[in-house]
């Protein structure tokens, strides 16, 4: 418990009382070098950064910090590696589960009676990167990529299907994701073949 005996009384009786006193205090402190201490530190850091390459900061955007493989940024729509077809089958699950209601898609049935995804847009101004769309996708078609530079001048800004779909000529760089929901390495062996008659 504190009582008066524990208090230390600080006596400050050398406050400058006039402009002349202030001037004298400035000169006294300057001559003691206090003014130059900060400058010395600044010049030291400047020298180490410029000549010894010991920069403490990342030179963004030329340099970027490494991202975790689990980092979830702007979405990607993937293709099948073998056939190069789009993985998305237009089931609409991602659109339905999205809690921000920011996915919109347009589909049609093509001449082969297959569903074709005509448009697929995500309003990045609304997306909260919750990952539900990627988690619910039965085809592993939509995933989160690592592109985080999606600043915009407008609150509502959209990624279009062509912005996030893997181009065919970049398919060899498409990353396949391990982990929950991904295809296991022995998936082919596990698959149950449909009998021809039953
Ligand atoms: S990450 Fe979440 S909010 Fe963003 S599009 Fe997917 S489901 Fe919607
Ligand atoms: S859940 Fe997957 S397959 Fe279904 S519409 Fe969305 S991206 Fe396409």
């Amino acid at each position: 418990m504190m009582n008066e005996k524990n208090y230390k009384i600080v006596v400050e009786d050398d406050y400058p009382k006039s402009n002349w006193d202030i001037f004298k205090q400035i000169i006294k402190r300057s001559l003691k070098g206090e003014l130059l201490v900060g400058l010395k530190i600044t010049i030291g850091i400047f020298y180490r950064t410029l000549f010894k390459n010991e920069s403490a900061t990342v030179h963004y955007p030329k340099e970027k910090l490494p991202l975790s493989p689990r980092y979830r940024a702007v979405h990607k729509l993937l293709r099948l590696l073998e056939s190069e077809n789009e993985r998305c089958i237009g089931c609409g699950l991602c659109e339905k589960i999205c809690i921000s209601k920011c996915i919109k898609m347009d589909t049609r049935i093509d001449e082969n009676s297959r569903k074709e995804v005509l448009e697929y847009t995500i309003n990045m101004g609304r997306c909260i990167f919750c990952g539900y769309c990627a988690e619910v996708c039965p085809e592993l078609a939509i995933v989160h990529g690592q592109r985080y530079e999606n600043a915009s001048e407008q609150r509502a800004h959209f990624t279009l299907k062509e912005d996030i779909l893997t181009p065919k000529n970049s398919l060899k760089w498409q990353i396949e994701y391990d982990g929950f929901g991904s295809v296991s390495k022995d998936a082919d062996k596990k698959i149950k073949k449909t009998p021809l008659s039953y």
Side-chain angles (χ1 to χ4, degrees), residues 168-194:
K168 281 189 181 171
N169 56 7
S170 314
L171 201 54
K172 59 182 168 185
W173 292 296
Q174 179 175 287
I175 298 169
E176 296 296 309
Y177 292 86
D178 286 335
F180 180 78
S182 62
V183 182
S184 61
K185 302 238 180 318
D186 56 348
D188 284 345
K189 287 186 201 147
K190 285 183 182 164
I191 239 167
K192 283 186 186 166
K193 300 273 188 299
T194 309

PDB file of all heavy atoms in Angstrom, residues 168-194:
ATOM      1  N   LYS A 168      -4.787 -21.153 -70.809  1.00  0.00           N
ATOM      2  CA  LYS A 168      -4.313 -22.474 -71.246  1.00  0.00           C
ATOM      3  C   LYS A 168      -2.793 -22.522 -71.364  1.00  0.00           C
ATOM      4  O   LYS A 168      -2.169 -23.519 -71.052  1.00  0.00           O
ATOM      5  CB  LYS A 168      -4.949 -22.839 -72.582  1.00  0.00           C
ATOM      6  CG  LYS A 168      -6.369 -23.338 -72.424  1.00  0.00           C
ATOM      7  CD  LYS A 168      -6.899 -23.891 -73.723  1.00  0.00           C
ATOM      8  CE  LYS A 168      -8.332 -24.363 -73.512  1.00  0.00           C
ATOM      9  NZ  LYS A 168      -9.007 -24.724 -74.727  1.00  0.00           N
ATOM     10  N   ASN A 169      -2.208 -21.414 -71.809  1.00  0.00           N
ATOM     11  CA  ASN A 169      -0.751 -21.447 -71.985  1.00  0.00           C
ATOM     12  C   ASN A 169       0.014 -21.316 -70.667  1.00  0.00           C
ATOM     13  O   ASN A 169       1.233 -21.346 -70.645  1.00  0.00           O
ATOM     14  CB  ASN A 169      -0.299 -20.372 -72.989  1.00  0.00           C
ATOM     15  CG  ASN A 169      -0.756 -18.985 -72.567  1.00  0.00           C
ATOM     16  OD1 ASN A 169      -1.287 -18.811 -71.474  1.00  0.00           O
ATOM     17  ND2 ASN A 169      -0.552 -18.017 -73.436  1.00  0.00           N
ATOM     18  N   SER A 170      -0.710 -21.131 -69.539  1.00  0.00           N
ATOM     19  CA  SER A 170      -0.037 -21.087 -68.228  1.00  0.00           C
ATOM     20  C   SER A 170      -0.381 -22.293 -67.382  1.00  0.00           C
ATOM     21  O   SER A 170      -0.126 -22.300 -66.180  1.00  0.00           O
ATOM     22  CB  SER A 170      -0.462 -19.835 -67.450  1.00  0.00           C
ATOM     23  OG  SER A 170      -0.438 -18.708 -68.232  1.00  0.00           O
ATOM     24  N   LEU A 171      -0.959 -23.306 -68.014  1.00  0.00           N
ATOM     25  CA  LEU A 171      -1.464 -24.440 -67.238  1.00  0.00           C
ATOM     26  C   LEU A 171      -0.358 -25.170 -66.484  1.00  0.00           C
ATOM     27  O   LEU A 171      -0.575 -25.698 -65.396  1.00  0.00           O
ATOM     28  CB  LEU A 171      -2.185 -25.412 -68.180  1.00  0.00           C
ATOM     29  CG  LEU A 171      -3.174 -26.370 -67.532  1.00  0.00           C
ATOM     30  CD1 LEU A 171      -4.188 -25.639 -66.707  1.00  0.00           C
ATOM     31  CD2 LEU A 171      -3.856 -27.203 -68.590  1.00  0.00           C
ATOM     32  N   LYS A 172       0.851 -25.178 -67.056  1.00  0.00           N
ATOM     33  CA  LYS A 172       1.922 -25.917 -66.377  1.00  0.00           C
ATOM     34  C   LYS A 172       2.316 -25.260 -65.060  1.00  0.00           C
ATOM     35  O   LYS A 172       2.966 -25.881 -64.228  1.00  0.00           O
ATOM     36  CB  LYS A 172       3.127 -26.076 -67.288  1.00  0.00           C
ATOM     37  CG  LYS A 172       3.726 -24.809 -67.780  1.00  0.00           C
ATOM     38  CD  LYS A 172       4.873 -25.110 -68.718  1.00  0.00           C
ATOM     39  CE  LYS A 172       5.278 -23.837 -69.427  1.00  0.00           C
ATOM     40  NZ  LYS A 172       6.291 -24.032 -70.421  1.00  0.00           N
ATOM     41  N   TRP A 173       1.952 -23.985 -64.886  1.00  0.00           N
ATOM     42  CA  TRP A 173       2.270 -23.319 -63.616  1.00  0.00           C
ATOM     43  C   TRP A 173       1.103 -23.349 -62.626  1.00  0.00           C
ATOM     44  O   TRP A 173       1.193 -22.792 -61.549  1.00  0.00           O
ATOM     45  CB  TRP A 173       2.678 -21.863 -63.863  1.00  0.00           C
ATOM     46  CG  TRP A 173       3.986 -21.773 -64.573  1.00  0.00           C
ATOM     47  CD1 TRP A 173       5.201 -22.189 -64.100  1.00  0.00           C
ATOM     48  CD2 TRP A 173       4.221 -21.247 -65.880  1.00  0.00           C
ATOM     49  NE1 TRP A 173       6.172 -21.957 -65.036  1.00  0.00           N
ATOM     50  CE2 TRP A 173       5.601 -21.378 -66.143  1.00  0.00           C
ATOM     51  CE3 TRP A 173       3.405 -20.693 -66.860  1.00  0.00           C
ATOM     52  CZ2 TRP A 173       6.175 -20.970 -67.337  1.00  0.00           C
ATOM     53  CZ3 TRP A 173       3.972 -20.296 -68.039  1.00  0.00           C
ATOM     54  CH2 TRP A 173       5.330 -20.431 -68.264  1.00  0.00           C
ATOM     55  N   GLN A 174       0.010 -23.972 -63.020  1.00  0.00           N
ATOM     56  CA  GLN A 174      -1.145 -24.015 -62.113  1.00  0.00           C
ATOM     57  C   GLN A 174      -0.796 -24.849 -60.888  1.00  0.00           C
ATOM     58  O   GLN A 174      -0.342 -25.982 -61.003  1.00  0.00           O
ATOM     59  CB  GLN A 174      -2.350 -24.622 -62.824  1.00  0.00           C
ATOM     60  CG  GLN A 174      -3.585 -24.713 -61.941  1.00  0.00           C
ATOM     61  CD  GLN A 174      -4.791 -25.196 -62.730  1.00  0.00           C
ATOM     62  OE1 GLN A 174      -5.348 -24.478 -63.535  1.00  0.00           O
ATOM     63  NE2 GLN A 174      -5.189 -26.426 -62.495  1.00  0.00           N
ATOM     64  N   ILE A 175      -1.029 -24.283 -59.718  1.00  0.00           N
ATOM     65  CA  ILE A 175      -0.670 -24.985 -58.478  1.00  0.00           C
ATOM     66  C   ILE A 175      -1.831 -25.864 -58.057  1.00  0.00           C
ATOM     67  O   ILE A 175      -2.981 -25.421 -58.014  1.00  0.00           O
ATOM     68  CB  ILE A 175      -0.360 -23.967 -57.360  1.00  0.00           C
ATOM     69  CG1 ILE A 175       0.832 -23.113 -57.758  1.00  0.00           C
ATOM     70  CG2 ILE A 175      -0.088 -24.670 -56.046  1.00  0.00           C
ATOM     71  CD1 ILE A 175       1.041 -21.920 -56.846  1.00  0.00           C
ATOM     72  N   GLU A 176      -1.524 -27.102 -57.787  1.00  0.00           N
ATOM     73  CA  GLU A 176      -2.537 -28.015 -57.240  1.00  0.00           C
ATOM     74  C   GLU A 176      -2.429 -27.965 -55.723  1.00  0.00           C
ATOM     75  O   GLU A 176      -1.337 -28.013 -55.175  1.00  0.00           O
ATOM     76  CB  GLU A 176      -2.294 -29.437 -57.733  1.00  0.00           C
ATOM     77  CG  GLU A 176      -2.451 -29.574 -59.231  1.00  0.00           C
ATOM     78  CD  GLU A 176      -3.884 -29.298 -59.689  1.00  0.00           C
ATOM     79  OE1 GLU A 176      -4.813 -29.890 -59.135  1.00  0.00           O
ATOM     80  OE2 GLU A 176      -4.067 -28.460 -60.594  1.00  0.00           O
ATOM     81  N   TYR A 177      -3.540 -27.858 -55.062  1.00  0.00           N
ATOM     82  CA  TYR A 177      -3.537 -27.673 -53.621  1.00  0.00           C
ATOM     83  C   TYR A 177      -3.697 -28.986 -52.881  1.00  0.00           C
ATOM     84  O   TYR A 177      -4.581 -29.771 -53.201  1.00  0.00           O
ATOM     85  CB  TYR A 177      -4.645 -26.711 -53.202  1.00  0.00           C
ATOM     86  CG  TYR A 177      -4.360 -25.315 -53.675  1.00  0.00           C
ATOM     87  CD1 TYR A 177      -4.723 -24.903 -54.940  1.00  0.00           C
ATOM     88  CD2 TYR A 177      -3.681 -24.428 -52.856  1.00  0.00           C
ATOM     89  CE1 TYR A 177      -4.426 -23.630 -55.392  1.00  0.00           C
ATOM     90  CE2 TYR A 177      -3.389 -23.155 -53.284  1.00  0.00           C
ATOM     91  CZ  TYR A 177      -3.771 -22.761 -54.559  1.00  0.00           C
ATOM     92  OH  TYR A 177      -3.471 -21.518 -54.998  1.00  0.00           O
ATOM     93  N   ASP A 178      -2.816 -29.205 -51.921  1.00  0.00           N
ATOM     94  CA  ASP A 178      -2.979 -30.338 -51.010  1.00  0.00           C
ATOM     95  C   ASP A 178      -3.876 -29.904 -49.872  1.00  0.00           C
ATOM     96  O   ASP A 178      -4.081 -28.728 -49.655  1.00  0.00           O
ATOM     97  CB  ASP A 178      -1.623 -30.755 -50.419  1.00  0.00           C
ATOM     98  CG  ASP A 178      -0.802 -31.470 -51.467  1.00  0.00           C
ATOM     99  OD1 ASP A 178      -1.419 -32.028 -52.378  1.00  0.00           O
ATOM    100  OD2 ASP A 178       0.433 -31.438 -51.366  1.00  0.00           O
ATOM    101  N   GLY A 179      -4.353 -30.840 -49.137  1.00  0.00           N
ATOM    102  CA  GLY A 179      -5.109 -30.496 -47.935  1.00  0.00           C
ATOM    103  C   GLY A 179      -6.575 -30.797 -48.081  1.00  0.00           C
ATOM    104  O   GLY A 179      -6.995 -31.519 -48.996  1.00  0.00           O
ATOM    105  N   PHE A 180      -7.369 -30.238 -47.164  1.00  0.00           N
ATOM    106  CA  PHE A 180      -8.785 -30.552 -47.096  1.00  0.00           C
ATOM    107  C   PHE A 180      -9.466 -30.325 -48.440  1.00  0.00           C
ATOM    108  O   PHE A 180      -9.354 -29.262 -49.030  1.00  0.00           O
ATOM    109  CB  PHE A 180      -9.461 -29.701 -46.023  1.00  0.00           C
ATOM    110  CG  PHE A 180     -10.923 -29.980 -45.893  1.00  0.00           C
ATOM    111  CD1 PHE A 180     -11.365 -31.094 -45.222  1.00  0.00           C
ATOM    112  CD2 PHE A 180     -11.861 -29.148 -46.491  1.00  0.00           C
ATOM    113  CE1 PHE A 180     -12.716 -31.367 -45.123  1.00  0.00           C
ATOM    114  CE2 PHE A 180     -13.203 -29.415 -46.389  1.00  0.00           C
ATOM    115  CZ  PHE A 180     -13.634 -30.520 -45.710  1.00  0.00           C
ATOM    116  N   GLY A 181     -10.175 -31.352 -48.901  1.00  0.00           N
ATOM    117  CA  GLY A 181     -10.961 -31.210 -50.120  1.00  0.00           C
ATOM    118  C   GLY A 181     -10.182 -31.464 -51.392  1.00  0.00           C
ATOM    119  O   GLY A 181     -10.766 -31.536 -52.467  1.00  0.00           O
ATOM    120  N   SER A 182      -8.862 -31.586 -51.308  1.00  0.00           N
ATOM    121  CA  SER A 182      -8.110 -31.777 -52.548  1.00  0.00           C
ATOM    122  C   SER A 182      -8.081 -33.260 -52.917  1.00  0.00           C
ATOM    123  O   SER A 182      -8.356 -34.119 -52.087  1.00  0.00           O
ATOM    124  CB  SER A 182      -6.688 -31.255 -52.389  1.00  0.00           C
ATOM    125  OG  SER A 182      -6.036 -31.981 -51.390  1.00  0.00           O
ATOM    126  N   VAL A 183      -7.729 -33.510 -54.155  1.00  0.00           N
ATOM    127  CA  VAL A 183      -7.698 -34.887 -54.636  1.00  0.00           C
ATOM    128  C   VAL A 183      -6.471 -35.579 -54.039  1.00  0.00           C
ATOM    129  O   VAL A 183      -5.361 -35.066 -54.141  1.00  0.00           O
ATOM    130  CB  VAL A 183      -7.611 -34.896 -56.182  1.00  0.00           C
ATOM    131  CG1 VAL A 183      -7.625 -36.316 -56.703  1.00  0.00           C
ATOM    132  CG2 VAL A 183      -8.765 -34.115 -56.766  1.00  0.00           C
ATOM    133  N   SER A 184      -6.685 -36.736 -53.410  1.00  0.00           N
ATOM    134  CA  SER A 184      -5.549 -37.434 -52.815  1.00  0.00           C
ATOM    135  C   SER A 184      -4.723 -38.103 -53.915  1.00  0.00           C
ATOM    136  O   SER A 184      -5.207 -38.335 -55.030  1.00  0.00           O
ATOM    137  CB  SER A 184      -6.028 -38.476 -51.805  1.00  0.00           C
ATOM    138  OG  SER A 184      -6.833 -39.422 -52.452  1.00  0.00           O
ATOM    139  N   LYS A 185      -3.471 -38.398 -53.589  1.00  0.00           N
ATOM    140  CA  LYS A 185      -2.551 -38.924 -54.606  1.00  0.00           C
ATOM    141  C   LYS A 185      -3.011 -40.295 -55.141  1.00  0.00           C
ATOM    142  O   LYS A 185      -2.737 -40.638 -56.282  1.00  0.00           O
ATOM    143  CB  LYS A 185      -1.142 -39.059 -54.017  1.00  0.00           C
ATOM    144  CG  LYS A 185      -0.602 -37.739 -53.483  1.00  0.00           C
ATOM    145  CD  LYS A 185       0.697 -37.360 -54.156  1.00  0.00           C
ATOM    146  CE  LYS A 185       1.290 -36.065 -53.678  1.00  0.00           C
ATOM    147  NZ  LYS A 185       0.433 -34.952 -53.449  1.00  0.00           N
ATOM    148  N   ASP A 186      -3.717 -41.058 -54.280  1.00  0.00           N
ATOM    149  CA  ASP A 186      -4.166 -42.383 -54.728  1.00  0.00           C
ATOM    150  C   ASP A 186      -5.662 -42.391 -55.050  1.00  0.00           C
ATOM    151  O   ASP A 186      -6.335 -43.409 -54.912  1.00  0.00           O
ATOM    152  CB  ASP A 186      -3.830 -43.446 -53.668  1.00  0.00           C
ATOM    153  CG  ASP A 186      -4.432 -43.091 -52.322  1.00  0.00           C
ATOM    154  OD1 ASP A 186      -4.901 -41.940 -52.170  1.00  0.00           O
ATOM    155  OD2 ASP A 186      -4.443 -43.956 -51.426  1.00  0.00           O
ATOM    156  N   ALA A 187      -6.158 -41.247 -55.506  1.00  0.00           N
ATOM    157  CA  ALA A 187      -7.594 -41.126 -55.784  1.00  0.00           C
ATOM    158  C   ALA A 187      -8.056 -42.111 -56.857  1.00  0.00           C
ATOM    159  O   ALA A 187      -9.133 -42.694 -56.765  1.00  0.00           O
ATOM    160  CB  ALA A 187      -7.920 -39.701 -56.216  1.00  0.00           C
ATOM    161  N   ASP A 188      -7.210 -42.330 -57.873  1.00  0.00           N
ATOM    162  CA  ASP A 188      -7.594 -43.242 -58.960  1.00  0.00           C
ATOM    163  C   ASP A 188      -7.841 -44.663 -58.445  1.00  0.00           C
ATOM    164  O   ASP A 188      -8.750 -45.346 -58.900  1.00  0.00           O
ATOM    165  CB  ASP A 188      -6.501 -43.266 -60.039  1.00  0.00           C
ATOM    166  CG  ASP A 188      -6.564 -42.008 -60.882  1.00  0.00           C
ATOM    167  OD1 ASP A 188      -7.600 -41.322 -60.800  1.00  0.00           O
ATOM    168  OD2 ASP A 188      -5.592 -41.710 -61.587  1.00  0.00           O
ATOM    169  N   LYS A 189      -6.992 -45.081 -57.473  1.00  0.00           N
ATOM    170  CA  LYS A 189      -7.141 -46.442 -56.943  1.00  0.00           C
ATOM    171  C   LYS A 189      -8.406 -46.563 -56.109  1.00  0.00           C
ATOM    172  O   LYS A 189      -9.035 -47.617 -56.056  1.00  0.00           O
ATOM    173  CB  LYS A 189      -5.927 -46.785 -56.068  1.00  0.00           C
ATOM    174  CG  LYS A 189      -4.677 -47.044 -56.865  1.00  0.00           C
ATOM    175  CD  LYS A 189      -3.577 -47.509 -55.926  1.00  0.00           C
ATOM    176  CE  LYS A 189      -2.235 -47.269 -56.589  1.00  0.00           C
ATOM    177  NZ  LYS A 189      -1.207 -46.937 -55.631  1.00  0.00           N
ATOM    178  N   LYS A 190      -8.763 -45.494 -55.431  1.00  0.00           N
ATOM    179  CA  LYS A 190      -9.901 -45.552 -54.517  1.00  0.00           C
ATOM    180  C   LYS A 190     -11.243 -45.500 -55.240  1.00  0.00           C
ATOM    181  O   LYS A 190     -12.267 -45.860 -54.685  1.00  0.00           O
ATOM    182  CB  LYS A 190      -9.830 -44.385 -53.531  1.00  0.00           C
ATOM    183  CG  LYS A 190      -8.781 -44.565 -52.463  1.00  0.00           C
ATOM    184  CD  LYS A 190      -8.862 -43.381 -51.532  1.00  0.00           C
ATOM    185  CE  LYS A 190      -7.823 -43.429 -50.453  1.00  0.00           C
ATOM    186  NZ  LYS A 190      -7.686 -42.124 -49.817  1.00  0.00           N
ATOM    187  N   ILE A 191     -11.232 -45.008 -56.445  1.00  0.00           N
ATOM    188  CA  ILE A 191     -12.502 -44.767 -57.132  1.00  0.00           C
ATOM    189  C   ILE A 191     -13.245 -46.080 -57.395  1.00  0.00           C
ATOM    190  O   ILE A 191     -12.627 -47.082 -57.750  1.00  0.00           O
ATOM    191  CB  ILE A 191     -12.225 -43.986 -58.457  1.00  0.00           C
ATOM    192  CG1 ILE A 191     -12.978 -42.688 -58.426  1.00  0.00           C
ATOM    193  CG2 ILE A 191     -12.573 -44.776 -59.689  1.00  0.00           C
ATOM    194  CD1 ILE A 191     -12.572 -41.716 -59.483  1.00  0.00           C
ATOM    195  N   LYS A 192     -14.542 -46.078 -57.142  1.00  0.00           N
ATOM    196  CA  LYS A 192     -15.342 -47.276 -57.380  1.00  0.00           C
ATOM    197  C   LYS A 192     -15.881 -47.211 -58.804  1.00  0.00           C
ATOM    198  O   LYS A 192     -16.539 -46.228 -59.182  1.00  0.00           O
ATOM    199  CB  LYS A 192     -16.515 -47.324 -56.406  1.00  0.00           C
ATOM    200  CG  LYS A 192     -16.124 -47.762 -55.021  1.00  0.00           C
ATOM    201  CD  LYS A 192     -17.355 -47.924 -54.167  1.00  0.00           C
ATOM    202  CE  LYS A 192     -16.970 -48.211 -52.736  1.00  0.00           C
ATOM    203  NZ  LYS A 192     -18.078 -48.055 -51.813  1.00  0.00           N
ATOM    204  N   LYS A 193     -15.549 -48.208 -59.578  1.00  0.00           N
ATOM    205  CA  LYS A 193     -16.009 -48.223 -60.964  1.00  0.00           C
ATOM    206  C   LYS A 193     -17.503 -48.552 -61.005  1.00  0.00           C
ATOM    207  O   LYS A 193     -17.978 -49.409 -60.259  1.00  0.00           O
ATOM    208  CB  LYS A 193     -15.248 -49.299 -61.757  1.00  0.00           C
ATOM    209  CG  LYS A 193     -13.747 -49.079 -61.790  1.00  0.00           C
ATOM    210  CD  LYS A 193     -13.369 -48.164 -62.931  1.00  0.00           C
ATOM    211  CE  LYS A 193     -11.871 -48.061 -63.121  1.00  0.00           C
ATOM    212  NZ  LYS A 193     -11.124 -47.545 -62.005  1.00  0.00           N
ATOM    213  N   THR A 194     -18.213 -47.861 -61.869  1.00  0.00           N
ATOM    214  CA  THR A 194     -19.644 -48.156 -62.015  1.00  0.00           C
ATOM    215  C   THR A 194     -19.807 -49.469 -62.770  1.00  0.00           C
ATOM    216  O   THR A 194     -19.249 -49.603 -63.874  1.00  0.00           O
ATOM    217  CB  THR A 194     -20.336 -47.036 -62.811  1.00  0.00           C
ATOM    218  OG1 THR A 194     -20.000 -45.795 -62.234  1.00  0.00           O
ATOM    219  CG2 THR A 194     -21.834 -47.213 -62.810  1.00  0.00           C
TER     220      THR A 194
END
